[in-house]
Amino acid sequence: MLNSNKHQAGSLLISEPFMIDPNFKRSVVLLVEKSEGGDIGFVLNQRSDLLVSDLIPDCWNATFPVFVGGPVGKDTLHFIHRCYDKISSGIEISEGLYWGGDFEGLKMLINSNQIRSDEVKFFVGYSGWGEDQLKSEIEQNSWLIENNYKPDVLFVEDEENLWKEVVISLGPKYAHIVNFPENPSWN
């Protein structure tokens, strides 16, 4: 295996540099749920062309970008946040980081400019793995796992370089892979 970290809720999954699946090519996924039945996460660095206000008309002040969380349930809207003090709800993923919560309350907070873009992130769809599927992909070196990261990385505005930044933060053992071409035949 590429690294020995165990995946858990709150882990970042970093795709290997040559992953062919376009849903996960050079992606960083936040794992929000790990269970015996399967795992759920959101791709952090695939911004769509949509804003929350495009999807929720009564959330007129929501100029927050919407990200493609993954290929499953593309008719669903999800959010992660780090503003429990304002929303007072959500499933704790890791310390100070939450998945979902009171959406009606969130809409009111957004419309009254009480929520910032570095406090909440929205996703259409999600990434899902069946029982032991993610474990198998990790054993096949499709994913690096990072459990010790700064929560700010989840809300960065430069999602285009997020994959590179997260790989480099793993240390010199991994940093060189950011220079690999996206397609090995280009070498």
Side-chain angles (χ1 to χ4, degrees):
M1 287 191 338
L2 284 173
N3 68 358
S4 59
N5 292 338
K6 300 290 182 201
H7 68 290
Q8 60 195 25
S11 292
L12 291 182
L13 305 175
I14 304 131
S15 68
E16 60 94 2
F18 304 121
M19 187 172 285
I20 297 170
D21 184 339
N23 296 301
F24 300 110
K25 184 178 180 179
R26 302 235 169 168
S27 66
V28 179
V29 177
L30 172 66
L31 195 60
V32 295
E33 181 177 294
K34 180 183 183 303
S35 69
E36 288 184 22
D39 304 301
I40 297 173
F42 299 110
V43 178
L44 296 171
N45 59 330
Q46 288 186 12
R47 184 190 290 234
S48 76
D49 293 330
L50 300 170
L51 299 175
V52 171
S53 58
D54 296 329
L55 300 174
I56 312 292
D58 64 336
C59 208
W60 61 88
N61 207 19
T63 57
F64 300 95
V66 176
F67 291 79
V68 178
V72 183
K74 288 196 172 191
D75 60 344
T76 60
L77 182 65
H78 304 267
F79 66 97
I80 60 169
H81 66 90
R82 56 179 175 176
C83 51
Y84 192 88
D85 58 322
K86 297 176 185 178
I87 299 175
S88 300
S89 62
I91 299 168
E92 189 169 32
I93 302 165
S94 60
E95 187 177 340
L97 182 64
Y98 300 87
W99 170 25
D102 177 10
F103 192 68
E104 293 302 316
L106 176 61
K107 288 191 316 188
M108 289 186 339
L109 291 166
I110 289 171
N111 284 335
S112 61
N113 293 313
Q114 295 181 54
I115 298 287
R116 299 182 321 266
S117 62
D118 66 345
E119 294 178 303
V120 65
K121 194 165 192 170
F122 294 90
F123 305 92
V124 170
Y126 62 94
S127 301
W129 294 267
E131 183 178 353
D132 292 329
Q133 182 182 2
L134 181 56
K135 179 182 175 190
S136 175
E137 290 180 15
I138 291 167
E139 289 171 354
Q140 295 169 16
N141 293 324
S142 296
W143 301 99
L144 288 165
I145 302 164
E146 177 62 291
N147 293 322
N148 299 312
Y149 56 89
K150 294 179 182 172
D152 291 347
V153 75
L154 306 175
F155 300 92
V156 297
E157 301 219 1
D158 184 13
E159 69 280 343
E160 224 173 276
N161 287 314
L162 180 62
W163 181 83
K164 288 180 180 180
E165 290 175 31
V166 172
V167 170
I168 290 169
S169 75
L170 293 171
K173 178 178 177 184
Y174 303 101
H176 68 282
I177 69 173
V178 301
N179 297 316
F180 290 0
E182 288 185 29
N183 183 331
S185 66
W186 295 346
N187 200 3

